[in-house]
Amino acid sequence: DAKTTQPPSMDCAEGRAANLPCNHSTISGNEYVYWYRQIHSQGPQYIIHGLKNNETNEMASLIITEDRKSSTLILPHATLRDTAVYYCIVRVTDGGSQGNLIFGKGTKLSVKP
Amino acid sequence: EAQVTQNPRYLITVTGKKLTVTCSQNMNHEYMSWYRQDPGLGLRQIYYSMNVEVTDKGDVPEGYKVSRKEKRNFPLILESPSPNQTSLYFCASSLTRRDGYTFGSGTRLTVV
């Protein structure tokens, strides 16, 4: 699976959009981009995933560049409860692979009042 | 409520005493997986299962066993726990290979 690079930490003001970047320059054609977050020591929470088109759900939007070498997770109106570690993961989901989730160090997002 | 339930949440045990951490999901998911989380090492996969009676090793399977006799349950067995298995354990499940995983709340295990 391709490796991802994320900034170790970011701050965001409450109510503003949080834009979390992720580089995955070695991503291959059959790898999806997934985002999870983990609040303190709770179980990771799935946020969103995509292949090449931009995706949006009730939690966030995922913007993937045309060359698929990077992506941005957008939390449109960050709240204090969005303070967490955010993980960007690329993962094969076809063929014989079970598509293990390989968690890196993620980005620690701090939402401030 | 759709969820993954792990038990117990906290467990302190002694070296060598066999234990089982249970995991159950009520979403009819095919895929289930166990992870451990350690400071500085992040989350690492122990075992996974793609369906009933189909299991395979993840990245750190040594010292662990699993079974998948029913779709909803995926217990993690430590036959002879050792202090290096002190960790925070998470069970997760997903409907298909492509869907996002739903994680349990975690089991904090201490082996003394």
Side-chain angles (χ1 to χ4, degrees):
Chain A
D1 290 328
K3 191 175 168 67
T4 63
T5 305
Q6 300 177 252
S9 64
M10 291 181 63
D11 289 342
C12 177
E14 189 178 18
R16 303 299 291 266
N19 296 282
L20 292 96
C22 180
N23 285 323
H24 31 79
S25 58
T26 60
I27 193 170
S28 54
N30 61 349
E31 287 182 310
Y32 281 68
V33 180
Y34 288 77
W35 283 84
Y36 285 78
R37 71 180 182 184
Q38 186 174 26
I39 298 171
H40 194 45
S41 293
Q42 296 178 24
Q45 179 187 22
Y46 163 77
I47 301 173
I48 199 166
H49 74 279
L51 183 63
K52 52 186 177 183
N53 298 320
N54 298 337
E55 302 286 346
T56 296
N57 63 20
E58 65 278 3
M59 287 184 70
S61 295
L62 173 60
I63 309 297
I64 303 174
T65 57
E66 195 167 337
D67 63 7
R68 301 211 322 124
K69 294 186 177 182
S70 66
S71 60
T72 301
L73 179 75
I74 301 172
L75 307 178
H77 305 287
T79 70
L80 299 178
R81 285 176 292 182
D82 292 321
T83 292
V85 177
Y86 287 77
Y87 298 98
C88 169
I89 299 166
V90 293
R91 178 187 178 207
V92 172
T93 62
D94 58 10
S97 169
Q98 187 265 351
N100 182 15
L101 292 172
I102 299 176
F103 287 82
K105 296 193 186 311
T107 296
K108 171 85 170 103
L109 175 68
S110 298
V111 180
K112 300 184 184 298
Chain B
E1 182 188 349
Q3 60 186 357
V4 176
T5 303
Q6 295 177 228
N7 280 298
R9 291 293 309 278
Y10 301 91
L11 178 60
I12 301 174
T13 190
V14 296
T15 298
K17 185 176 180 182
K18 181 179 178 180
L19 68 92
T20 299
V21 184
T22 64
C23 174
S24 180
Q25 50 92 5
N26 61 0
M27 297 167 281
N28 202 37
H29 284 176
E30 288 199 351
Y31 292 83
M32 297 188 75
S33 189
W34 275 102
Y35 286 82
R36 62 178 287 175
Q37 185 170 30
D38 303 289
L41 296 175
L43 281 136
R44 295 176 293 167
Q45 190 185 54
I46 304 170
Y47 267 95
Y48 63 92
S49 170
M50 291 187 273
N51 213 326
V52 175
E53 303 291 3
V54 180
T55 63
D56 207 346
K57 297 176 181 178
D59 296 322
V60 289
E62 294 77 24
Y64 304 95
K65 284 174 59 176
V66 293
S67 69
R68 187 95 181 271
K69 293 185 170 52
E70 308 163 282
K71 201 170 189 178
R72 63 183 295 129
N73 295 322
F74 191 44
L76 180 69
I77 303 155
L78 284 73
E79 294 270 1
S80 182
S82 62
N84 65 12
Q85 293 178 297
T86 292
S87 187
L88 179 58
Y89 291 86
F90 291 105
C91 180
S93 72
S94 70
L95 181 62
T96 69
R97 221 178 303 203
R98 191 164 295 168
D99 290 315
Y101 270 90
T102 300
F103 281 78
S105 299
T107 295
R108 189 168 291 281
L109 173 66
T110 302
V111 184
V112 298

